[in-house]
Amino acid sequence: ARYVGGASIAMTISADIAAFLERPATKKARRVGFHVIRAANKFLHGSGRAAWIVGTTALVLIVPLVLEIEREQQFQDMDAQMGPAGAVGAAPFQPASGLVMPPPEAQRS
């Protein structure tokens, strides 16, 4: 090690760093930096929880709704392709005679 005035350069540099770290402005900057990092960490953890809640809600509520809307759209597209009379050459739907409900007047008596 090279000596300057009886002390090595490494000892001089370490003493300068120690003096720099003990200055009030440096202490304040370190304290502010600590609080900024701590707040960012809390924000990331909190927003992670919020993202989990939003994602879970979407899976439970929104995805089934979207799937049902898509299914309904497919039925409407199928009906539009068949036309107003149903499938070509098919007879109109007739329920079985035993399953037909009586008219409302007959139900009241």
Side-chain angles (χ1 to χ4, degrees):
R2 191 170 151 212
Y3 291 97
V4 176
S8 72
I9 293 176
M11 289 180 66
T12 305
I13 292 174
S14 66
D16 289 343
I17 291 173
F20 175 77
L21 293 177
E22 292 299 320
R23 290 174 35 193
T26 306
K27 285 184 177 182
K28 184 176 181 179
R30 287 176 59 195
R31 188 171 52 246
V32 168
F34 169 78
H35 288 294
V36 167
I37 290 173
R38 188 171 133 219
N41 193 15
K42 283 186 173 188
F43 173 76
L44 289 176
H45 283 289
S47 63
R49 274 188 243 126
W52 184 86
I53 291 170
V54 169
T56 304
T57 302
L59 284 175
V60 171
L61 298 176
I62 297 171
V63 170
L65 176 65
V66 169
L67 293 175
E68 186 61 31
I69 291 171
E70 180 66 27
R71 185 174 166 203
E72 183 67 28
Q73 183 64 41
Q74 287 177 354
F75 283 132
Q76 289 176 357
D77 291 345
M78 239 172 36
D79 287 343
Q81 287 175 355
M82 294 178 127
V88 176
F93 175 73
Q94 294 289 331
S97 62
L99 298 177
V100 176
M101 291 183 62
E105 300 85 40
Q107 289 178 353
R108 290 188 192 135
S109 17

